[in-house]
Amino acid sequence: MASDSESLAALEILMNEFFAPQTSNDRKREIESLLHNFSSQQGAWKHCLYFMSNSSNHFVCMYSLTTIEKIITKQWLGLMWEDRAQLKATLYQLALEHHQTAPNFIRNKLVKLVVDIARLDWPHFYPDFFTNILQLIQNSETTVLGLVFLQTASEELVCPWEDLSVSRKEELRRLLLAHIPQVFSILTALLERVAQKQRHGVTATPPPSPTHGQPNSTSPVHSGSLLSSMFGSSRCSLENDSDSIASLTLQALAHLFSWSSPRDEGQCVGTLAMAAVNEIMYKNCVPSSCEEFLLNLFQQALHLLHNLLQSGHLDQIDETYLEKVTEFLRLFVGLHLRRLENNSRFPILEFLTLLFKYTFQQTNLEGYYNCLDVWTIFLEHLQTHKASIERYNDALVSLVGQILRKTQFKYNQAQLEELDDESLDDDKQTEWQNFLRQNIEVIAKVAELLPMDTYNQVYEPWKESVMVYMRLERALEENEDCRKLVVTAEHECLRLHCLLRDLSSLTQAVGRMYPHFIGEVLAARFSHSQKLMTQLTAMATYASRLQLHHIQVSAGVLTSDLVEVHAQVLAAMKAWCHWLAQMHSEAGLKHMYNQFIIDIVDATVPLLAKQGEPAKLYHSAAHLLASLTMTVRPARLWEVESVRDLYRKAASLSYLPSESQRLVKRALCCTLLLPCAGLADQGWDQRQKLLAALLESLTIDFRQLQHSSPVSPQAACPVITSTLTLLNDLVTGMQSEGSNTRQLLYSAIQVFYIFVFSFGISSSFYYVYYCCYDDDDDDDDEMNIYQTLSMFPTYVHSPSVCEVILDFFLTAFGGLQQQLGASFTETTVQTFLDVFTREHLSSSLGQEGGAGARVVDKFLQLLQLVMAEPGHQFKRFVPSTITLCLDHVYPLVAETPSPDIKPSLFALLHAILMHKWQYFYRSSLLQTMNQMGNETVEHREEFIKILQAYGQSLLQPDINIFGQNLRSLEQLNSKWKLYHKHLFGEELLSQFVTVLLHSLIHKSHALLEEEITVAIYHMAAVNFKAFQSDFLPQFLRSTEGLDDGQRSILQRNFKDDVDLPSFTQNVQRLVNDLRCYRLCNYSLPAGSIKL
């Protein structure tokens, strides 16, 4: 057998060859095999210790350490005592001897292996482990090594490793916590020495004592000298050795404070200092004894903020450092301001002044947005403490004023011109729109506290811009060919461009002010709101009359500016429609109200009726018209001449963008459907005739499908989609309205529910319409429905068309169930059930692109509504629905990881169990009491199959389905005592608990751990005694990877507590310790003695 020196030489050759660039992959695999065989042989770790002590080759050292790591983590408990002692002593000695010369990655690996040993042996078999660390830190020659040991110990000893039992984890945490005060004291002294060394390097004048005049001197971040030195070092100005010590110390502090992941070692000392302090700030529960410390901390933070702002060069400071400062401010305002707000020693107004300056000195948008978030948190704090608002009035007024300046080109053109106003982000907003929105939202937050002060600040600059805008007419020059703007000089065009951009921004802000002029304050602030609304309507009619966006301009950008102003004026009027709706009820204002209505109609309807206008104007005008009809609801709007003209051309609005066209059609329908406020005679008969005529014109293409020969799905789909989308919008929008509105809607669109089934029928559409509405011939009406349903439909094999049709019925069943009636609903559902055969379902689910699956999904959603209906007519669908689910759909998706329709399938099964429980358990309360626990279960096999499907879903990786079905089981138990049913307890209970426990053990659905544990508790609560004495022993016996002694310990540690918190702790201990035992057992060599 080769000697250690010969093996080392061979190993060095192999490692150098492996990492040589010319070595082939095949050769590398050969070398890997040789290295693996060597490390797997018994006693290989002894050779590795020799290699570590006698080689300077980094590859050899890492290979040796990796081999030793496997021994420590997998076989430590199986080693002889002498071997363990040798490994421990040698590794520690190697770390001491080579920490200054070895590369950091080797030093850190050595340290981790020593800590891994301590994780298993400290304190019983490694009593001096932590004492050694503290001694290393305090020795100037080994300070860096000691700090690396400390942070590694903090990371590894509190990490929830699976190879440790709960009791061992708790023991390690207690041991560490016991040393924390001493650790903080040592680290504080270390940082003080670093700070003092820095001061000596700056000035020869001896500084005052670090703790002079400062209480809480044992705190790691208490004194002015320490905070100023550490926080102020944002540019890494310390010497290299001091920088390394300070960085490692602060990293260790941050981890000790948080028990979270360590920070990046390459960060500046100031950044790490702020990170450490922020970890303190995250502690929300602060005892009163620490409030003095917090006060000192915040006072020093103010000093830091003041120094940062004094420099006037935030752009030269590291962005990460500034992010930490902003994070500190956010944490202070959100978690700790309430503790110090009324403390006379904390200058709250000075803090707000510094925050104000810090906010508006930010050099990038992200930093500015983060500061706005801090202000938002502060404003939300004031919302809950309104008694203290007066002292902050000046600060809030200044905040609004500065935000307005920042958003106006008049003051901030250079920065605002750089914002992108073309590319859309994930929220469909441009960079400019996002910037404006975030600023206006903060202004709106302030307005909730100081409504009139804020309004006046917004209104005054807006009014000035409006005055200039309304004088543009004077600058128009007209001739036979065109109209043009005589503003041609470059500097004048630029000024006008800036003014128009600011006007559109301020108009958006003005629109946001409406909530503070409605409700109880409507009358008190009416003069302001009436003046504003008058100006808005004047601007809208002015822009529509002059059509400023069509004039010829010398700078093309002015055209888009004029369009933007016009669009924002219409959008602001849309917002103020809420005020207009309330104004109707005020006495003596009818004339003014009517004038506003006329102005809005004049500003929108002619614009929408004309082709060739900008899409942005169409969009704003359509939204305003929709709000007028749905929110304000003026009386008999259809009698206005321009509105009548719009009704006449409703079917020919194809020039409008699709969204605008949809809004206009909805607005025209809502005018007829929605009742007018304060009107005695709503004229429902007239409305019905007008609505029928309107829908007839809007759906002419749709109705022509019935008269023609079958149209291809590609040609029919756009027609069907646009028509049914409009009807869906109407049904959805009218769901919360009164019975008259819903009845009117139903009477107008009832024919479409029948017609959807009758594509390809040669009989007259109008005959169908007559049959459906002939009140004197109900039999003929019902017969016609059955005739048309029996001929369902040409497009059943077209997923895109079928999806729209099903969505149409789904909306109807949700919003017009009462009007549709049980008979029609019953017939419709039966027709769908007849169509969706197993073959059709299989074909649909197999289609590419998911269109077929979406159709099936809609159908299952529709059945959910049917199952939730209480009427006896729908009970007969329960058997066929169960058959559809269990025999047709479920077999097709059961083994698929995450198909689209699984959520709807299980939601339907849940609806059956929740709403049709009597299908399985018919017994009345009296019968149940007389039977004394003897349950009669009808349709037993179907009931079991449903619950088995639930159980099968809990075995699959899809966490969404798992969570959905777990919550479903809990709801069924809450309402129907599912877990207490004899059938469930005898055949399913133990299976469900077993599955849920295994999901916890394997961490397959870790995000649902709490919900899983609660469900186990409720299942165990059926019979806690049986769970403890029968189920748990059986579960442990059937669990592999444990010996009998370990099973006995697990059983004994599971206490017989019956309250939820204690039971939860027992389950967590059981799961953790079971995982720990299995990991340890799998890592032991065969024949090892288990302790």
Side-chain angles (χ1 to χ4, degrees):
M1 185 175 180
S3 64
D4 281 342
S5 59
E6 292 172 340
S7 298
L8 175 58
L11 179 60
E12 288 179 338
I13 293 172
L14 283 175
M15 297 302 294
N16 289 331
E17 181 184 0
F18 182 87
F19 288 101
Q22 65 270 19
T23 304
S24 66
N25 289 336
D26 291 339
R27 177 55 180 159
K28 286 185 176 182
R29 282 191 288 272
E30 292 177 10
I31 296 173
E32 282 181 342
S33 179
L34 289 171
L35 296 175
H36 175 73
N37 292 337
F38 178 83
S39 63
S40 299
Q41 64 184 343
Q42 191 170 5
W45 62 271
K46 295 180 180 179
H47 301 291
C48 290
L49 288 180
Y50 174 83
F51 300 156
M52 286 288 300
S53 301
N54 294 276
S55 177
S56 59
N57 187 306
H58 297 163
F59 301 139
V60 170
C61 291
M62 282 305 296
Y63 168 75
S64 301
L65 290 172
T66 302
T67 302
I68 293 171
E69 183 178 32
K70 293 178 182 176
I71 300 298
I72 295 172
T73 58
K74 303 295 184 183
Q75 302 178 31
W76 186 254
L77 297 178
L79 291 179
M80 299 296 293
W81 169 253
E82 296 81 2
D83 294 339
R84 291 159 68 175
Q86 180 187 355
L87 258 176
K88 186 189 322 176
T90 305
L91 291 174
Y92 184 70
Q93 191 61 34
L94 286 171
L96 283 178
E97 293 174 356
H98 300 290
H99 74 275
Q100 291 182 326
T101 57
N104 285 353
F105 65 90
I106 290 179
R107 177 200 67 189
N108 295 347
K109 191 71 172 180
L110 274 169
V111 169
K112 183 181 181 302
L113 294 185
V114 175
V115 173
D116 283 343
I117 293 173
R119 197 165 58 86
L120 301 169
D121 282 5
W122 180 53
H124 310 291
F125 307 114
Y126 196 170
D128 55 352
F129 165 70
F130 211 84
T131 305
N132 290 345
I133 293 178
L134 299 180
Q135 290 174 352
L136 290 173
I137 295 173
Q138 292 172 293
N139 186 333
S140 60
E141 298 295 322
T142 58
T143 298
V144 171
L145 178 62
L147 290 171
V148 174
F149 260 111
L150 177 62
Q151 180 160 342
T152 306
S154 176
E155 294 168 359
E156 298 296 323
L157 299 187
V158 297
C159 186
W161 298 108
E162 295 184 358
D163 58 344
L164 294 180
S165 66
V166 170
S167 57
R168 177 58 178 162
K169 292 177 185 177
E170 293 173 349
E171 181 184 26
L172 287 173
R173 190 179 185 89
R174 284 197 305 270
L175 290 167
L176 273 179
L177 287 174
H179 288 86
I180 287 298
Q182 186 180 6
V183 169
F184 281 177
S185 179
I186 291 172
L187 295 184
T188 300
L190 191 60
L191 287 174
E192 291 287 7
R193 287 201 299 271
V194 171
Q196 191 169 3
K197 184 176 181 181
Q198 183 191 20
R199 287 194 300 272
H200 279 301
V202 175
T203 175
T205 305
S209 169
T211 59
H212 177 70
Q214 298 292 339
N216 299 317
S217 59
T218 59
S219 169
V221 283
H222 68 285
S223 68
S225 59
L226 176 56
L227 286 170
S228 300
S229 299
M230 293 296 103
F231 291 174
S233 302
S234 61
R235 298 171 191 163
C236 305
S237 58
L238 297 178
E239 297 177 5
N240 286 340
D241 58 341
S242 298
D243 181 64
S244 177
I245 290 173
S247 298
L248 289 170
T249 304
L250 291 166
Q251 283 183 347
L253 273 173
H255 199 279
L256 289 168
F257 284 132
S258 67
W259 305 112
S260 63
S261 56
R263 301 297 193 259
D264 180 8
E265 208 167 285
Q267 291 176 327
C268 297
V269 175
T271 303
L272 293 168
M274 286 305 307
V277 173
N278 285 345
E279 295 297 348
I280 301 175
M281 298 295 293
Y282 273 109
K283 309 303 178 185
N284 189 17
C285 299
V286 179
S288 56
S289 59
C290 294
E291 288 192 3
E292 186 68 22
F293 160 67
L294 283 178
L295 178 61
N296 287 320
L297 177 62
F298 297 138
Q299 287 173 336
Q300 294 301 326
L302 287 181
H303 181 65
L304 162 69
L305 204 54
H306 182 269
N307 289 342
L308 280 175
L309 296 170
Q310 281 285 92
S311 70
H313 300 291
L314 290 187
D315 56 327
Q316 299 177 13
I317 298 177
D318 179 55
E319 281 189 16
T320 308
Y321 178 74
L322 290 178
E323 288 173 5
K324 294 298 179 184
V325 173
T326 307
E327 182 183 4
F328 174 87
L329 295 171
R330 179 174 59 80
L331 293 169
F332 167 59
V333 173
L335 300 179
H336 304 287
L337 177 62
R338 66 182 186 277
R339 295 188 172 94
L340 301 176
E341 185 177 14
N342 297 317
N343 191 316
S344 59
R345 295 165 56 196
F346 182 74
I348 181 65
L349 296 180
E350 179 185 346
F351 166 74
L352 292 178
T353 300
L354 292 173
L355 176 59
F356 177 88
K357 293 178 179 178
Y358 180 73
T359 299
F360 294 102
Q361 285 187 27
Q362 292 295 314
T363 57
N364 62 74
L365 280 180
E366 197 59 39
Y368 176 66
Y369 292 155
N370 290 336
C371 290
L372 289 185
D373 288 341
V374 177
W375 282 105
T376 300
I377 295 171
F378 174 68
L379 294 170
E380 290 172 349
H381 163 75
L382 294 184
Q383 280 288 108
T384 59
H385 301 82
K386 292 193 176 183
S388 60
I389 289 177
E390 290 184 3
R391 64 192 293 201
Y392 302 119
N393 279 12
D394 292 342
L396 298 182
V397 168
S398 298
L399 174 64
V400 172
Q402 193 61 32
I403 289 177
L404 288 171
R405 289 177 66 88
K406 191 172 181 67
T407 57
Q408 290 184 67
F409 282 75
K410 180 179 180 180
Y411 306 104
N412 192 27
Q413 181 186 353
Q415 184 182 21
L416 296 182
E417 290 284 10
E418 294 177 1
L419 298 179
D420 178 20
D421 198 20
E422 295 182 1
S423 304
L424 298 177
D425 59 18
D426 293 338
D427 297 324
K428 305 299 181 184
Q429 286 188 323
T430 65
E431 186 179 32
W432 161 253
Q433 289 170 339
N434 182 45
F435 171 80
L436 193 59
R437 178 186 59 81
Q438 296 213 42
N439 282 283
I440 289 177
E441 285 306 308
V442 176
I443 293 175
K445 276 283 183 186
V446 177
E448 293 175 8
L449 301 167
L450 303 173
M452 291 311 299
D453 290 331
T454 306
Y455 172 77
N456 289 330
Q457 281 186 281
V458 174
Y459 177 76
E460 289 303 321
W462 178 78
K463 182 180 69 173
E464 293 176 7
S465 299
V466 169
M467 292 172 63
V468 177
Y469 177 74
M470 299 296 283
R471 288 198 295 265
L472 281 179
E473 187 174 8
R474 303 177 187 176
L476 294 181
E477 182 180 276
E478 297 192 33
N479 54 44
E480 295 180 357
D481 298 330
C482 65
R483 295 180 305 149
K484 65 179 180 178
L485 190 67
V486 296
V487 179
T488 56
E490 183 177 351
H491 71 282
E492 290 181 343
C493 289
L494 181 61
R495 286 182 58 194
L496 181 57
H497 164 67
C498 293
L499 180 136
L500 293 174
R501 291 295 299 269
D502 291 344
L503 177 57
S504 65
S505 301
L506 291 167
T507 303
Q508 194 170 333
V510 162
R512 196 67 177 78
M513 295 292 106
Y514 83 87
H516 312 297
F517 293 85
I518 60 177
E520 296 178 354
V521 298
L522 177 69
R525 299 171 183 171
F526 182 79
S527 60
H528 297 278
S529 52
Q530 182 264 331
K531 183 178 180 181
L532 174 66
M533 193 62 174
T534 300
Q535 289 173 298
L536 285 172
T537 54
M539 290 175 70
T541 52
Y542 170 82
S544 296
R545 176 174 58 85
L546 293 178
Q547 296 187 330
L548 293 172
H549 50 280
H550 286 312
I551 63 176
Q552 183 179 331
V553 293
S554 55
V557 70
L558 294 178
T559 298
S560 59
D561 293 340
L562 290 166
V563 169
E564 182 66 25
V565 170
H566 193 172
Q568 289 299 339
V569 168
L570 296 176
M573 292 168 67
K574 172 185 180 294
W576 280 83
C577 278
H578 294 277
W579 172 83
L580 192 56
Q582 285 199 358
M583 176 187 171
H584 177 269
S585 60
E586 296 295 313
L589 299 177
K590 186 174 181 180
H591 175 73
M592 186 184 299
Y593 169 84
N594 290 335
Q595 186 58 52
F596 282 141
I597 298 299
I598 293 171
D599 290 342
I600 293 175
V601 170
D602 291 343
T604 56
V605 175
L607 180 62
L608 293 167
K610 183 180 179 182
Q611 298 187 37
E613 299 295 339
K616 185 173 286 188
L617 290 184
Y618 282 143
H619 178 81
S620 295
H623 273 282
L624 175 54
L625 183 62
S627 290
L628 179 68
T629 58
M630 288 185 273
T631 303
V632 183
R633 304 184 184 184
R636 302 185 180 279
L637 190 62
W638 58 83
E639 295 180 354
V640 178
E641 183 60 34
S642 58
V643 177
R644 274 208 302 262
D645 292 340
L646 193 60
Y647 272 102
R648 294 188 191 103
K649 63 182 306 181
S652 56
L653 298 174
S654 57
Y655 57 86
L656 293 176
S658 58
E659 176 67 14
S660 300
Q661 187 178 158
R662 183 176 173 181
L663 285 168
V664 171
K665 290 178 180 179
R666 185 195 304 175
L668 293 175
C669 292
C670 288
T671 303
L672 301 170
L673 284 167
L674 296 173
C676 305
L679 199 63
D681 181 12
Q682 296 289 342
W684 293 110
D685 293 338
Q686 183 186 12
R687 290 169 182 260
Q688 182 175 357
K689 294 176 183 178
L690 292 172
L691 183 60
L694 174 62
L695 290 178
E696 183 177 344
S697 66
L698 292 176
T699 61
I700 186 170
D701 293 338
F702 179 78
R703 289 183 290 107
Q704 284 177 351
L705 291 174
Q706 191 268 341
H707 294 290
S708 59
S709 58
V711 183
S712 68
Q714 292 77 12
C717 187
V719 176
I720 297 172
T721 300
S722 61
T723 301
L724 297 189
T725 298
L726 170 64
L727 299 180
N728 277 346
D729 284 349
L730 295 178
V731 175
T732 302
M734 302 303 124
Q735 284 183 2
S736 60
E737 297 298 327
S739 58
N740 286 331
T741 294
R742 284 184 283 120
Q743 186 60 45
L744 172 59
L745 175 61
Y746 173 69
S747 66
I749 68 174
Q750 178 190 25
V751 66
F752 293 99
Y753 292 110
I754 304 169
F755 178 65
V756 166
F757 291 102
S758 61
F759 292 129
I761 299 173
S762 58
S763 57
S764 170
F765 172 80
Y766 294 100
Y767 172 73
V768 175
Y769 182 90
Y770 173 78
C771 291
C772 291
Y773 283 90
D774 186 1
D775 294 334
D776 297 326
D777 195 354
D778 294 338
D779 292 337
D780 287 346
D781 176 62
E782 189 170 327
M783 181 184 66
N784 181 67
I785 294 174
Y786 279 92
Q787 284 179 331
T788 53
L789 287 175
S790 67
M791 304 179 71
F792 179 73
T794 305
Y795 302 105
V796 70
H797 295 290
S798 173
S800 55
V801 177
C802 223
E803 182 181 359
V804 177
I805 293 172
L806 279 166
D807 199 35
F808 178 53
F809 278 94
L810 184 61
T811 306
F813 283 12
L816 294 175
Q817 179 64 65
Q818 182 180 354
Q819 285 72 28
L820 285 172
S823 178
F824 179 72
T825 303
E826 184 180 356
T827 307
T828 305
V829 172
Q830 187 59 58
T831 302
F832 282 130
L833 286 171
D834 293 340
V835 169
F836 283 99
T837 62
R838 181 166 189 165
E839 292 73 21
H840 181 71
L841 288 168
S842 179
S843 172
S844 297
L845 294 176
Q847 291 174 354
E848 295 183 3
R854 290 195 299 273
V855 170
V856 178
D857 184 73
K858 295 286 185 185
F859 178 49
L860 296 177
Q861 291 181 44
L862 187 147
L863 289 177
Q864 290 174 40
L865 296 177
V866 173
M867 289 299 102
E869 283 298 315
H872 66 88
Q873 300 96 328
F874 303 109
K875 290 182 180 178
R876 74 179 188 88
F877 291 114
V878 176
S880 54
T881 302
I882 293 175
T883 300
L884 175 85
C885 292
L886 299 181
D887 296 343
H888 296 174
V889 179
Y890 181 69
L892 298 174
V893 301
E895 300 303 323
T896 311
S898 184
D900 296 331
I901 67 168
K902 259 190 181 178
S904 292
L905 172 63
F906 282 105
L908 176 53
L909 292 175
H910 172 76
I912 293 170
L913 293 175
M914 181 64 76
H915 302 291
K916 297 294 182 278
W917 182 261
Q918 288 75 17
Y919 179 75
F920 305 104
Y921 287 90
R922 276 188 177 277
S923 301
S924 66
L925 177 61
L926 183 59
Q927 289 173 325
T928 302
M929 294 175 63
N930 291 336
Q931 287 169 356
M932 298 296 291
N934 295 323
E935 298 174 343
T936 301
V937 185
E938 299 188 13
H939 312 290
R940 176 191 180 96
E941 295 303 320
E942 293 177 342
F943 185 73
I944 292 177
K945 284 178 70 175
I946 292 174
L947 292 175
Q948 285 175 339
Y950 271 74
Q952 187 66 29
S953 71
L954 300 181
L955 294 171
Q956 295 182 347
D958 189 334
I959 191 170
N960 294 319
I961 294 297
F962 187 103
Q964 175 184 329
N965 287 348
L966 188 64
R967 288 186 289 273
S968 173
L969 289 170
E970 287 287 274
Q971 291 168 16
L972 290 168
N973 181 60
S974 176
K975 183 172 183 178
W976 301 115
K977 297 297 181 184
L978 171 66
Y979 305 155
H980 296 261
K981 296 301 179 184
H982 180 75
L983 173 61
F984 187 88
E986 286 295 316
E987 300 196 21
L988 298 168
L989 182 60
S990 62
Q991 297 177 37
F992 273 96
V993 178
T994 300
V995 168
L996 293 177
L997 280 173
H998 278 299
S999 69
L1000 292 176
I1001 293 168
H1002 297 296
K1003 292 187 173 181
S1004 56
H1005 303 86
L1007 292 175
L1008 299 173
E1009 179 182 346
E1010 183 177 348
E1011 293 181 51
I1012 294 170
T1013 306
V1014 171
I1016 294 173
Y1017 171 77
H1018 289 146
M1019 291 181 185
V1022 174
N1023 191 334
F1024 279 118
K1025 185 177 180 180
F1027 176 85
Q1028 187 84 12
S1029 60
D1030 299 333
F1031 170 79
L1032 201 54
Q1034 176 60 35
F1035 172 78
L1036 293 173
R1037 282 195 298 271
S1038 64
T1039 302
E1040 297 179 351
L1042 302 173
D1043 61 33
D1044 291 340
Q1046 292 166 340
R1047 292 187 177 97
S1048 178
I1049 293 172
L1050 292 172
Q1051 171 78 43
R1052 186 168 61 249
N1053 286 343
F1054 201 103
K1055 308 301 180 185
D1056 55 355
D1057 302 304
V1058 296
D1059 61 286
L1060 178 57
S1062 301
F1063 185 88
T1064 299
Q1065 290 181 353
N1066 287 328
V1067 170
Q1068 291 171 345
R1069 176 184 288 271
L1070 171 71
V1071 169
N1072 182 91
D1073 291 357
L1074 192 152
R1075 279 200 300 256
C1076 171
Y1077 287 146
R1078 289 170 66 167
L1079 282 171
C1080 293
N1081 293 344
Y1082 292 150
S1083 65
L1084 289 174
S1088 298
I1089 299 174
K1090 301 172 185 175
L1091 300 178

